[in-house]
Amino acid sequence: MTGMDTAETGQGSPSAGGEGTRPAGCSRLGPWKRGPVLTACALLLGLLLLLHGKLTDWAGLGSLVETFLPWFGLFVPVLFAGALWRRSASSVIALLLPVTVWLNLFGGLLDDKSHQAGDLTVVSHNVDAGNRDPAGTARDLAASGADLLALEELTDQAKGTYEKELAKAYPHHAVQGTVGLWSKLPLSGTRPVDVRRGMTGPLVEQPRSEDIPVDPFRALRTTVTTGKGPLAVYVVHLGSVRVMPRGGFWTDSRDADATELAQAVAAERGERVLVLGDFNGTMDDRAFDSLTSQLRSVQDVAGDGFGFSWPAKFPVARIDQILVRGVEPKSAWLLPATGSDHRPVAAGISW
């Protein structure tokens, strides 16, 4: 009788109070206490984005993180999905930190800030020492209609091809080592810029005649005569970076070049300065603080999106730059891929 009474009243049943129907593995914790690991990861991500400049640069860690800094935003939807799965209110709230910081850093790049065409169209392209079709690359670049065309990683074998293919569209040009500038406007006062030369990279192993330095110049400075006055132009290819098994992310050569270039720009007496080239790094990298304090990135001011330029097949970073001082960026964009492993970058500037 006692057993029947118990069964009828439900007392002692596993389903009493609904406990027996709770899904296996479901947490008994409240929504504010669930997912502590997710919450911690969200806060750490936000702090990394906020304080990336304070991150140690031991073994190049800081530079490596800053090179791919925009991509850290991809962790947000992953963590958000985890927070929903765990039904963790604290994790969702914690994600507001990385979202806010990421939007503050990169939200402006999501809009198209380009305006009308500028007074001068400029293009910069690392043409790649291993480019198998330099003639085709030259024709593609000439078809862009740019007034100034800066080329990096020129080889002795390919230089003649570029000179021949670009001669009709660009009556003026200057080459120093592995960099050159082709122009529709007169050039004057061309000279090499004293940055460290060719310590690493594909051009170092290139056989050279005895009267040519083993380490070719990687930067030049020239003056372009425009209808609105002189324009100081620098074409640069900063030192290579390498991921070393024991040394980490090696950036010594590039960082030294960036310092030398910043000093050259600081000494520039002219009001209007244009710097184009392959920087082997993004403008988020601390190594370029001495440059970004003097110059503006056309992509940041007048670009559409992030403008990633490398590698050409699936760009993940903008390491090819156009920086200005004393002129106004009006637009910035990427040109179609050529035979190089970089995408050409272009901009319209005005006075």
Side-chain angles (χ1 to χ4, degrees):
M1 292 295 293
T2 304
M4 292 179 61
D5 291 340
T6 301
E8 290 176 358
T9 59
Q11 294 177 2
S13 170
S15 62
E19 293 298 323
T21 60
R22 183 183 297 276
C26 183
S27 174
R28 296 168 182 251
L29 297 174
W32 293 101
K33 294 184 178 181
R34 294 175 190 157
V37 174
L38 288 170
T39 301
C41 288
L43 293 174
L44 288 174
L45 177 61
L47 291 174
L48 176 64
L49 292 169
L50 181 64
L51 304 174
H52 63 88
K54 304 296 184 181
L55 189 65
T56 177
D57 205 28
W58 179 80
L61 178 62
S63 285
L64 183 61
V65 168
E66 289 168 338
T67 297
F68 301 103
L69 197 62
W71 293 97
F72 281 83
L74 293 179
F75 287 108
V76 170
V78 175
L79 292 172
F80 183 66
L84 293 180
W85 180 68
R86 292 288 291 138
R87 298 179 182 179
S88 172
S90 59
S91 298
V92 172
I93 297 300
L95 279 171
L96 291 176
L97 176 61
V99 169
T100 301
V101 177
W102 192 94
L103 289 175
N104 182 64
L105 290 173
F106 306 112
L109 296 175
L110 301 179
D111 296 329
D112 184 358
K113 301 178 290 298
S114 60
H115 304 288
Q116 71 277 10
D119 298 325
L120 207 64
T121 300
V122 301
V123 167
S124 177
H125 189 33
N126 180 322
V127 295
D128 186 2
N131 192 330
R132 297 183 178 182
D133 185 20
T137 297
R139 289 191 293 268
D140 290 342
L141 294 173
S144 70
D147 300 293
L148 299 178
L149 184 59
L151 304 185
E152 304 89 47
E153 211 163 284
L154 294 168
T155 64
D156 290 339
Q157 295 84 354
K159 184 171 68 174
T161 301
Y162 288 107
E163 290 174 335
K164 177 182 177 181
E165 295 293 337
L166 297 173
K168 183 177 180 180
Y170 298 94
H172 311 280
H173 83 279
V175 175
Q176 292 287 334
T178 63
V179 298
L181 181 69
W182 275 257
S183 174
K184 294 181 178 180
L185 302 170
L187 305 177
S188 62
T190 302
R191 57 175 173 81
V193 178
D194 188 18
V195 298
R196 294 174 66 180
R197 296 179 286 164
M199 300 301 292
T200 61
L203 295 175
V204 176
E205 304 301 328
Q206 183 180 288
R208 309 181 66 81
S209 58
E210 294 181 357
D211 60 335
I212 299 178
V214 174
D215 296 334
F217 286 108
R218 295 168 65 102
L220 68 79
R221 190 269 188 206
T222 191
T223 299
V224 178
T225 302
T226 75
K228 297 185 178 181
L231 174 67
V233 178
Y234 289 79
V235 180
V236 303
H237 185 190
L238 301 188
S240 300
V241 298
R242 291 287 185 269
V243 177
M244 312 292 284
R246 296 183 179 181
F249 191 51
W250 183 79
T251 63
D252 292 0
S253 178
R254 183 206 63 184
D255 295 351
D257 287 355
T259 299
E260 295 289 342
L261 178 61
Q263 292 174 356
V265 171
E268 190 66 50
R269 296 182 178 180
E271 177 185 355
R272 303 183 182 97
V273 179
L274 170 66
V275 181
L276 315 94
D278 177 1
F279 282 54
N280 274 310
T282 70
M283 291 298 96
D284 296 311
D285 196 317
R286 65 194 69 187
F288 303 112
D289 287 350
S290 56
L291 278 169
T292 55
S293 63
Q294 305 180 65
L295 304 165
R296 294 190 295 168
S297 164
V298 297
Q299 186 66 28
D300 290 347
V301 177
D304 179 11
F306 290 93
F308 294 150
S309 62
W310 177 89
K313 291 184 178 180
F314 188 81
V316 297
R318 184 181 177 89
I319 65 174
D320 301 277
Q321 311 294 342
I322 301 176
L323 309 177
V324 298
R325 185 182 80 192
V327 296
E328 189 64 31
K330 292 297 183 181
S331 55
W333 65 97
L334 293 171
L335 295 179
T338 67
S340 172
D341 58 344
H342 292 242
R343 290 279 299 274
V345 295
I349 60 175
S350 292
W351 275 252

